[in-house]
Amino acid sequence: GIQVEQSPPDLILQEGANSTLRCNFSDSVNNLQWFHQNPWGQLINLFYIPSGTKQNGRLSATTVATERYSLLYISSSQTTDSGVYFCAVPTGANSKLTFGKGITLSVRP
Amino acid sequence: NAGVMQNPRHLVRRRGQEARLRCSPMKGHSHVYWYRQLPEEGLKFMVYLQKENIIDESGMPKERFSAEFPKEGPSILRIQQVVRGDSAAYFCASSRAGGPHEQFFGPGTRLTVL
């Protein structure tokens, strides 16, 4: 099946810093989702981004489907950005999501 | 609009008991997916359902686990005779239709087996 790799596995930032999180996938996909799992365990939809670039406040995402990767940019990070960031791609005829292992982000005040 | 609802949020069971997890999809969504997040592991697909139909259960353990999505009411994930290895967070997601549509996740049910 499709492989989804995220990097780096862990990231520690000082509040106010910028960061780039990467998601590579091993096969062509027709959409991709980014999620934030907050410290309470809830999964928050960030982006649904099959291709191109989208922005939402301090966050933006770019997917280059032909090169099989997606990037999540966080600018002016805040402590509330802490948590685990997952990317996921649909696989198979029923589009069940295959998740990466996640990137654990800690933003320090 | 209400999001995906799951209940209970936390469930504690003793070994051998049954666990029932409920999921109500977003309004207008008729497709439900269940995922499990085991400690130190990522999120894994379990089962995909539409109303009254199980479409894909390739991620479900062969024994003790079952799922349904009746014509009326929430989707239910049922685990019989729970064991400690079933302790995990169980997430439900819904989408407007099948295929490559955005999936929205509920808050999850955290199952602890004593």
Side-chain angles (χ1 to χ4, degrees):
Chain A
I2 193 168
Q3 304 297 312
V4 181
E5 302 284 340
Q6 292 187 247
S7 60
D10 302 281
L11 193 54
I12 299 174
L13 298 177
Q14 205 66 35
E15 198 169 25
N18 302 328
S19 63
T20 301
L21 286 61
R22 187 176 183 100
C23 173
N24 292 335
F25 38 95
S26 61
D27 206 347
S28 57
V29 297
N30 50 23
N31 80 53
L32 182 141
Q33 292 188 241
W34 280 99
F35 299 91
H36 175 213
Q37 188 167 37
N38 63 24
W40 295 270
Q42 294 180 314
L43 278 169
I44 311 299
N45 285 47
L46 296 178
F47 292 101
Y48 171 74
I49 183 165
S51 62
T53 297
K54 290 187 178 180
Q55 179 141 16
N56 185 2
R58 295 181 296 103
L59 273 60
S60 65
T62 295
T63 295
V64 184
T66 53
E67 297 188 22
R68 301 180 184 174
Y69 73 88
S70 183
L71 302 173
L72 178 68
Y73 305 97
I74 303 175
S75 64
S76 304
S77 58
Q78 300 176 358
T79 55
T80 51
D81 295 331
S82 296
V84 184
Y85 290 80
F86 291 100
C87 65
V89 298
T91 55
N94 297 316
S95 295
K96 54 198 175 192
L97 292 178
T98 297
F99 284 79
K101 292 186 176 180
I103 296 170
T104 301
L105 174 64
S106 299
V107 181
R108 296 183 172 169
Chain B
N1 286 334
V4 179
M5 310 285 284
Q6 288 189 251
N7 67 81
R9 296 288 304 277
H10 300 273
L11 182 61
V12 178
R13 286 287 178 265
R14 296 190 180 279
R15 281 178 296 171
Q17 292 184 319
E18 178 179 288
R20 282 184 180 239
L21 288 61
R22 295 174 185 79
C23 169
S24 296
M26 285 178 69
K27 187 177 181 181
H29 286 193
S30 58
H31 297 251
V32 166
Y33 299 80
W34 285 92
Y35 295 86
R36 178 167 66 173
Q37 186 174 32
L38 289 162
E40 308 304 321
E41 291 191 23
L43 286 132
K44 305 287 187 186
F45 166 80
M46 298 182 75
V47 61
Y48 164 46
L49 309 102
Q50 297 175 27
K51 289 281 188 181
E52 299 185 281
N53 283 302
I54 298 174
I55 307 302
D56 182 346
E57 56 182 347
S58 58
M60 289 276 270
K62 292 290 184 283
E63 298 177 348
R64 302 186 297 107
F65 285 72
S66 62
E68 62 176 6
F69 191 12
K71 187 176 180 181
E72 302 291 337
S75 175
I76 295 175
L77 180 67
R78 181 184 178 203
I79 311 172
Q80 294 179 290
Q81 299 176 322
V82 296
V83 301
R84 288 205 173 128
D86 297 333
S87 296
Y90 293 82
F91 290 93
C92 164
S94 74
S95 67
R96 183 167 46 84
H101 293 277
E102 187 172 10
Q103 294 182 26
F104 294 87
F105 280 72
T109 294
R110 274 139 194 90
L111 172 65
T112 301
V113 179
L114 301 178

